[in-house]
Amino acid sequence: NHHNGKRETHSAATVILAAGTMNTLRLLLHSQEQGYLQAMPRLGEHFGGNGDYFGYWDLDDHANDLSAGMPARGLVKLKDENALGAGVDWPMIGEGALPSPAILPLGGWISRKLRRGTYVAGMGPDAQDGTVRYRKGRLSIDYNPAHSEIFSRIKRAFKLIGEKTGRRIFHFERPITVHPTGGACIGRDATHGVIDSNGEVFANPGLYVADAAALPKPVGGPPSITIGAWADHVAEQFIARRQQTSG
């Protein structure tokens, strides 16, 4: 229980996990390690970050408070369709307001940066070839960004935007994601995935995964609608089977 820090045990004939990818994987990995669940050979495999890559656009706007307004304001794209080279697609790059300094206890320099600049977020299909393991009660993630071409493409796009506007985009070398996906993926059977096409965990009847941990491939854009569609599918199939069983 994240509110009080205590462990709790709950029992039910049916359990649907939709705790967010990282929490769902932690619950499954912990339960498997403790022997509460039948083994899931592919659990923790095909993990990715949906190609998320964030940067700070140092617009240095002294006239406006750029932290005001919508958190997402639209896409950023150069008019030249071949800006990254012939046949190279421009990645999805969104721009929006950073958190308002009015609600964060931050120093003056950071507050000024939040008001005078914005964030940019690149997204695209990554390799989704990472693994998540459970060691000593903690998740351990093995993910190499060098395996995913999308990150170098986003970095090049950030550099070009900076050159065209005269205002640089700063970013970390390693990606940070708010859209983790995979780890408990759909598959034909237990040797290819963790759940079936209805979201039910192989060899563990009554246990379902209804969030982004189920996605076997990256969405490459904001995944909320895709996750919602998957959860809706799991719910519809669950209801249909129950109605058929009850006659």
Side-chain angles (χ1 to χ4, degrees):
N1 186 320
H2 290 295
H3 295 288
N4 57 29
K6 297 179 180 179
R7 292 186 180 275
E8 299 177 355
T9 300
H10 300 269
S11 297
T14 300
V15 175
I16 300 174
L17 289 177
T21 296
M22 304 313 298
N23 283 319
T24 289
L25 292 179
R26 187 182 185 281
L27 289 165
L28 289 172
L29 287 162
H30 171 80
S31 298
Q32 178 179 250
E33 182 186 75
Q34 296 298 311
Y36 302 141
L37 298 176
Q38 295 296 313
M40 295 165 277
R42 298 301 181 188
L43 181 60
E45 297 182 358
H46 299 295
F47 174 82
N50 198 50
D52 283 13
Y53 204 90
F54 289 87
Y56 171 74
W57 198 358
D58 189 15
L59 295 171
D60 198 29
D61 187 334
H62 291 246
N64 302 288
D65 181 0
L66 300 181
S67 69
M70 300 294 291
R73 290 193 279 246
L75 300 177
V76 180
K77 185 176 182 180
L78 298 189
K79 291 181 178 179
D80 181 3
E81 294 184 358
N82 295 315
L84 296 176
V88 181
D89 292 334
W90 184 263
M92 176 179 285
I93 297 177
E95 181 269 343
L98 289 160
S100 171
I103 61 174
L104 296 173
L106 301 171
W109 181 84
I110 297 178
S111 294
R112 288 193 294 274
K113 286 294 184 182
L114 293 178
R115 289 191 173 96
R116 295 177 182 176
T118 64
Y119 80 85
V120 284
M123 279 176 262
D126 66 350
Q128 197 169 315
D129 60 352
T131 57
V132 181
R133 296 290 180 256
Y134 193 64
R135 298 189 177 97
K136 298 180 180 180
R138 298 176 63 89
L139 294 179
S140 175
I141 300 172
D142 182 9
Y143 179 85
N144 189 344
H147 295 171
S148 301
E149 177 271 341
I150 185 63
F151 296 120
S152 62
R153 195 152 33 104
I154 292 173
K155 289 179 186 178
R156 288 161 56 201
F158 282 176
K159 183 178 179 182
L160 281 173
I161 292 170
E163 291 174 353
K164 294 292 184 180
T165 62
R167 304 308 311 177
R168 184 178 174 185
I169 294 176
F170 294 90
H171 57 81
F172 294 109
E173 281 304 308
R174 289 187 64 82
I176 299 171
T177 183
V178 295
H179 300 129
T181 57
C185 299
I186 305 166
R188 293 194 300 271
D189 50 45
T191 62
H192 294 91
V194 177
I195 62 175
D196 64 17
S197 60
N198 296 318
E200 192 167 21
V201 178
F202 292 117
N204 292 276
L207 180 61
Y208 296 81
V209 175
D211 58 20
L215 303 182
K217 294 288 184 180
V219 177
S224 298
I225 298 299
T226 303
I227 298 167
W230 167 246
D232 186 66
H233 167 77
V234 172
E236 287 186 344
Q237 295 304 307
F238 179 84
I239 292 168
R241 289 197 304 278
R242 289 303 180 276
Q243 289 175 339
Q244 187 177 26
T245 301
S246 64

